[in-house]
Amino acid sequence: MNYEIEKTIQQLYDNNQYKLKRICNKEMAKFGGLSQKDYDGFYSRAGQEIAIAIYNKKYDPTKGKTPLDFFVGVIKRAVWKEMTDKNRGKRQIILEVEDEDENGNIVKKKEYIPTVSIDMPIGDENGKTLGDTLQSDFNMEKIFESDTYNFYDEKIEKYLDSLPKITRKIVEMKMNDVSVSIIKEKLKLTEKEYSAHMNNARMNENIALFTKRSNRCKEEYNKMDNIIPIDVTDNYRMDKFPLGGLLDDMRDGKINKKHILQRKPFQWTERQKNKFLTRVLNGQPIPEIVICEQTVKGKKKSHLIDGLQRLSYSELFRADGIVVKIDGAEFYEIPYREYKHDNDGNILLDEEGDALFEEKIFNVIGKKFSEFPQFLKDRFNKFNINVTTYFNCTDDQIAYHIRNYNNQEGMNKSQYEFTGIDIDVANRIKDISEKHPFFKDCYGKYTEKNKIKGDIDKVVVESIMACNFIENWKKDVKDSYSYINEHVTNIMFDSLEHTLHQLCGIVDKEIKSVFTTTNSPVWFAVFDEFKTLGLPAERFKEFVNYINASLETLELDGNLFIDTYKNKNTRDKRIVFGKVKGLISLMYGFLHIENSDNEITDAGIFISENLGVDKCSVKDDLEVYIETLNDLKERSIRDGSKLLDAENELSLLAMVAYSYKTDQDLDSWLKEYAEKNNTYFINQKKNFVHMKQDFDRYCRDNKDGA
């Protein structure tokens, strides 16, 4: 045992195995319902797996992992193995059923349904497991309706985690052989809703995790080892690789198909998909695939830049997730040769000793890949694709290639503009649009098409605009993305996530209809205002119901509000501003609260309320305050400071009014404040209080000078 491994083991076992137990406990927290005896069993299993790993010399320092990283992985896998063993023979899904007891009384009983691990031996002389007997191509229906997988298989967990909440429940129940009728009854789903969830499950990009490596194309794929050295090329190289090998590498994570700027898969129409698949099956060339290679922390990463749709549909097709349909398909009756065999399975020979074969035609329409003759499976996996690889790419270069390779058709406007956003900002947007339950589990009226087409990314961007920069609302998608990229802060992202988290506890089928891709930003801004009132969340739900029920008759300033709310110019600044301002005004009326501190009201009201002065007096002096502020901006705030943003105007005007009220000069304080602070609070009342406190401190510390 080398020194580093020995030192790591010592760290894990020091202080009564503190670190080992801590790693175990964190992983075990995902299960729940465990006794102290269970915990001891998990700790023991972790120790066994560590010992096995050391004995078999499993740690390989050339793979870039530290000994600690390696053993953390061993411990986590040990926890899952122990849970698998504990539940092998146990039952996972619990259903309540009615039965009669010995006295004839109706009682409720819990019925458990078993699961089986893919690692279960089948008694084969070659040591095969149940997983080895699976067909190489994942068939959704067959997998769901069998005991083949359990919940603790890593591939299954990754697949399940990527599904919306209800879809996941359906899949888990189908994996446990629960009938469709019981699923719909338990989850209160209509046939249409059930079908939509099943379609989501079938079209999930992680379905390819369940295909096995195509060994038949391994020889061709190994040609990658004989390519031209990088140092004799011009930063890129063009090669030919078999389709099956590329799909295997995508499934295994060697090619990253989820670069943060890349759009989602499955963008094509039915016609485009069928035309493409029949072209591949007929061995006809397709456009090149583009990969950008990047070095991050000493590790090379290969990002799929162009060809996501081609490879994603190929991946899903090979996994039995889709079939070729007639619309758009060309040359779908494919001729091929098949050897003739005798009754014992031997190939028949002619008089000259040559193999006999017969001409056949295979119609691919409606057939799953697993039903194809081996000849066509091989043709598909061995299909050669031109691949251009760019080396040593920066983030900016990757974004450049994504834009340029999608400059002809492909990307819609939202997807294209997303590529111009800084990586850090893009990551925050994607974390919300793809991972937050409000969008992932469709608390709003969002479709899978919205998610695929990048509409949810746009909702996030426009929600930041509506909640923080309503005065600077941009009609053009390009301008919204550009503005957010320049002005957004982590506080704003955190605030939106908090809003979404709270709405998850409020929104139900009754009110989800208002949260469309068009109106979600509007309602998020309205809820932001509601949060400042300190009222129970149910009151917001009541207000939404009130709007839904009364929209056609509600008036504001003598005009029907529905004319603004349902105006076709949905992206026009006047309309968006009118919706937010109108809904907030109606909300205050519905809640019987005077709309006094609304941040979208007149600056004079804001100053009046926060300084406790007469509104009429403020109105008379407002013009002076504005002129003074404009002078102060030129003298005391450096160009480019976010304190100059229009959204910060209210609190700055209030500070000017405060300086007049206290007869204090702002110049020197504001210059110092602007040098120390380049951001501000979203809530202008909070921002003003922060400024005022800092100004008062400054005045106390500089009595002589100020």
Side-chain angles (χ1 to χ4, degrees):
M1 189 187 304
N2 69 36
Y3 172 73
E4 288 298 324
I5 292 179
E6 187 175 350
K7 181 181 177 183
T8 302
I9 298 300
Q10 190 67 40
Q11 290 175 353
L12 292 171
Y13 280 85
D14 273 349
N15 195 16
N16 193 26
Q17 305 179 33
Y18 173 77
K19 185 167 283 190
L20 182 147
K21 290 179 179 179
R22 185 177 179 184
I23 297 168
C24 284
N25 292 346
K26 187 174 181 181
E27 200 68 15
M28 291 158 62
K30 298 176 181 178
F31 308 127
L34 299 174
S35 66
Q36 185 57 50
K37 183 180 178 181
D38 292 323
Y39 276 73
D40 294 339
F42 281 102
Y43 301 152
S44 176
R45 181 60 175 265
Q48 292 173 18
E49 295 295 331
I50 289 173
I52 291 170
I54 294 172
Y55 179 79
N56 293 322
K57 299 181 179 179
K58 291 289 187 180
Y59 173 62
D60 183 356
T62 64
K63 292 185 177 180
K65 285 187 176 181
T66 66
L68 181 59
D69 290 337
F70 170 75
F71 284 114
V72 167
V74 170
I75 294 169
K76 287 183 177 180
R77 286 190 293 275
V79 170
W80 286 92
K81 285 180 181 179
E82 179 69 11
M83 180 55 80
T84 299
D85 290 346
K86 284 174 64 65
N87 288 280
R88 187 172 285 138
K90 289 187 178 182
R91 298 167 182 261
Q92 302 303 319
I93 292 293
I94 306 173
L95 299 176
E96 284 193 351
V97 295
E98 291 186 349
D99 200 0
E100 289 187 5
D101 62 15
E102 56 186 11
N103 299 319
N105 300 316
I106 300 297
V107 295
K108 288 187 176 181
K109 298 173 62 177
K110 290 182 178 180
E111 181 179 295
Y112 298 80
I113 302 174
T115 60
V116 181
S117 171
I118 61 172
D119 298 317
M120 178 178 287
I122 58 174
D124 184 88
E125 60 182 5
N126 296 317
K128 286 185 176 180
T129 66
L130 187 59
D132 293 324
T133 68
L134 294 176
Q135 60 181 37
S136 63
D137 307 290
F138 185 61
N139 182 305
M140 296 293 294
E141 290 299 330
K142 288 181 181 178
I143 291 297
F144 289 168
E145 295 171 2
S146 73
D147 299 323
T148 308
Y149 287 95
N150 73 11
F151 297 125
Y152 306 107
D153 184 273
E154 289 182 11
K155 290 181 180 179
I156 286 290
E157 273 301 313
K158 184 174 181 180
Y159 171 69
L160 292 176
D161 284 345
S162 67
L163 298 174
K165 183 168 59 178
I166 300 299
T167 308
R168 173 172 180 147
K169 287 182 179 179
I170 294 173
V171 172
E172 289 175 340
M173 295 174 81
K174 288 186 75 68
M175 288 168 66
N176 287 278
D177 204 25
V178 180
S179 69
V180 174
S181 59
I182 292 178
I183 291 174
K184 289 193 289 189
E185 178 185 349
K186 289 290 180 183
L187 300 180
K188 296 181 173 57
L189 298 173
T190 64
E191 179 61 38
K192 183 178 180 180
E193 290 170 335
Y194 173 81
S195 298
H197 284 294
M198 284 303 298
N199 187 60
N200 292 346
R202 293 189 191 96
M203 291 295 288
N204 186 283
E205 54 195 290
N206 284 310
I207 193 176
L209 290 169
F210 307 105
T211 57
K212 293 188 176 180
R213 178 166 290 280
S214 176
N215 291 323
R216 293 177 180 268
C217 67
K218 187 175 182 180
E219 182 179 340
E220 289 87 340
Y221 199 64
N222 283 339
K223 292 176 183 176
M224 292 178 68
D225 296 331
N226 303 314
I227 52 184
I228 303 171
I230 296 174
D231 57 1
V232 297
T233 65
D234 289 325
N235 300 319
Y236 73 93
R237 183 181 59 237
M238 300 179 72
D239 304 288
K240 285 185 180 291
F241 298 134
L243 174 58
L246 290 169
L247 298 184
D248 290 342
D249 272 9
M250 277 210 322
R251 177 203 58 207
D252 297 340
K254 295 178 182 177
I255 297 176
N256 173 31
K257 63 180 177 181
K258 294 184 178 180
H259 188 274
I260 197 66
L261 300 181
Q262 182 64 281
R263 59 178 171 166
K264 293 181 75 66
F266 312 131
Q267 304 279 328
W268 286 350
T269 63
E270 184 70 35
R271 184 177 183 82
Q272 289 172 314
K273 178 261 292 184
N274 296 328
K275 188 180 290 290
F276 166 75
L277 290 175
T278 49
R279 188 171 183 84
V280 172
L281 291 169
N282 279 285
Q284 298 169 341
I286 63 172
E288 68 172 341
I289 301 298
V290 180
I291 292 173
C292 279
E293 192 176 272
Q294 183 180 40
T295 301
V296 180
K297 296 181 180 179
K299 297 180 182 179
K300 288 185 178 180
K301 291 187 176 182
S302 295
H303 302 289
L304 179 61
I305 297 306
D306 192 52
L308 174 66
Q309 305 309 317
R310 277 159 274 164
L311 293 188
S312 294
Y313 279 104
S314 297
E315 188 176 51
L316 193 60
F317 177 62
R318 192 176 71 162
D320 277 5
I322 53 174
V323 298
V324 178
K325 296 182 181 179
I326 194 68
D327 183 23
E330 297 182 272
F331 305 108
Y332 48 81
E333 292 188 332
I334 301 178
Y336 68 100
R337 291 179 175 182
E338 193 171 86
Y339 289 116
K340 291 185 177 181
H341 297 81
D342 60 21
N343 292 333
D344 296 324
N346 300 311
I347 296 177
L348 294 174
L349 306 177
D350 61 16
E351 296 175 354
E352 298 178 358
D354 295 325
L356 292 172
F357 57 83
E358 57 184 327
E359 299 283 351
K360 288 190 174 183
I361 293 178
F362 186 79
N363 188 322
V364 301
I365 301 299
K367 305 291 196 313
K368 294 178 179 177
F369 186 80
S370 58
E371 299 169 343
F372 279 28
Q374 192 61 50
F375 163 79
L376 271 183
K377 289 182 181 179
D378 290 345
R379 172 183 282 185
F380 181 86
N381 281 315
K382 292 180 179 181
F383 179 79
N384 269 327
I385 298 180
N386 290 320
V387 178
T388 296
T389 305
Y390 291 91
F391 302 104
N392 301 317
C393 295
T394 64
D395 288 334
D396 288 342
Q397 289 170 333
I398 292 174
Y400 164 81
H401 287 307
I402 291 177
R403 285 195 298 274
N404 280 270
Y405 276 100
N406 288 280
N407 197 36
Q408 292 77 27
E409 195 249 330
M411 286 187 166
N412 61 37
K413 200 167 185 180
S414 295
Q415 293 163 340
Y416 183 83
E417 296 305 335
F418 191 81
T419 65
I421 289 182
D422 294 341
I423 292 296
D424 290 343
V425 176
N427 273 315
R428 289 303 307 263
I429 293 172
K430 286 291 186 182
D431 278 344
I432 296 174
S433 67
E434 294 186 357
K435 298 177 183 178
H436 198 286
F438 193 89
F439 297 118
K440 183 180 177 182
D441 297 332
C442 290
Y443 278 83
K445 199 174 180 182
Y446 314 122
T447 65
E448 282 303 304
K449 187 175 181 180
N450 290 146
K451 298 177 182 179
I452 289 171
K453 293 296 184 181
D455 294 335
I456 307 301
D457 295 334
K458 186 175 71 171
V459 169
V460 173
V461 169
E462 293 186 337
S463 297
I464 296 289
M465 289 292 298
C467 293
N468 302 280
F469 308 113
I470 190 71
E471 292 281 0
N472 295 86
W473 178 269
K474 308 298 180 185
K475 183 174 183 179
D476 194 285
V477 174
K478 175 183 177 182
D479 295 333
S480 295
Y481 277 72
S482 177
Y483 191 90
I484 286 300
N485 191 51
E486 183 178 349
H487 295 90
V488 72
T489 65
N490 282 325
I491 293 176
M492 295 175 188
F493 280 122
D494 293 342
S495 177
L496 179 59
E497 286 184 323
H498 185 251
T499 289
L500 294 173
H501 178 71
Q502 288 181 294
L503 284 171
C504 284
I506 300 172
V507 178
D508 55 17
K509 287 185 177 181
E510 224 180 336
I511 68 170
K512 72 179 292 183
S513 62
V514 304
F515 294 99
T516 62
T517 54
T518 298
N519 283 328
S520 285
V522 170
W523 280 102
F524 294 160
V526 175
F527 185 71
D528 260 9
E529 178 68 19
F530 174 82
K531 288 191 297 184
T532 67
L533 303 177
L535 297 175
E538 279 298 312
R539 295 291 284 149
F540 184 76
K541 181 179 176 182
E542 291 171 7
F543 170 64
V544 177
N545 280 325
Y546 164 71
I547 292 295
N548 281 335
S550 312
L551 184 59
E552 294 187 2
T553 59
L554 291 173
E555 290 188 7
L556 276 175
D557 301 324
N559 299 311
L560 285 173
F561 180 62
I562 192 172
D563 293 339
T564 298
Y565 191 79
K566 293 196 172 182
N567 193 291
K568 293 181 179 180
N569 299 316
T570 56
R571 299 194 51 75
D572 187 84
K573 177 180 177 180
R574 178 180 61 85
I575 298 302
V576 175
F577 188 88
K579 286 182 183 180
V580 175
K581 182 179 179 181
L583 284 170
I584 289 177
S585 179
L586 290 168
M587 179 176 69
Y588 273 86
F590 173 79
L591 298 172
H592 305 293
I593 299 173
E594 183 183 350
N595 187 0
S596 59
D597 60 350
N598 178 6
E599 290 182 11
I600 309 178
T601 58
D602 178 78
I605 297 178
F606 181 87
I607 293 170
S608 171
E609 294 294 329
N610 285 282
L611 269 70
V613 295
D614 182 74
K615 293 178 183 178
C616 295
S617 173
V618 173
K619 185 177 180 181
D620 293 338
D621 297 332
L622 189 58
E623 189 174 338
V624 175
Y625 297 156
I626 294 173
E627 289 179 2
T628 303
L629 178 58
N630 289 335
D631 290 338
L632 279 169
K633 286 178 180 179
E634 292 182 9
R635 297 197 304 267
S636 303
I637 304 178
R638 67 186 184 279
D639 289 341
S641 172
K642 292 194 174 183
L643 293 176
L644 293 172
D645 288 356
E647 294 74 27
N648 203 34
E649 190 86 358
L650 286 178
S651 53
L652 284 173
L653 276 174
M655 281 304 302
V656 172
Y658 182 66
S659 72
Y660 274 93
K661 181 180 180 181
T662 58
D663 195 23
Q664 300 281 356
D665 186 8
L666 287 180
D667 286 75
S668 55
W669 166 80
L670 187 56
K671 185 175 182 179
E672 180 183 291
Y673 186 83
E675 288 174 355
K676 294 189 303 181
N677 299 277
N678 192 36
T679 58
Y680 52 87
F681 290 103
I682 301 168
N683 186 302
Q684 285 293 284
K685 179 184 287 188
K686 185 176 181 181
N687 198 54
F688 168 68
V689 171
H690 180 268
M691 284 185 176
K692 178 177 174 294
Q693 289 173 345
D694 192 86
F695 178 64
D696 290 341
R697 176 201 56 75
Y698 179 88
C699 291
R700 286 194 304 271
D701 294 345
N702 297 273
K703 287 181 180 179
D704 296 335

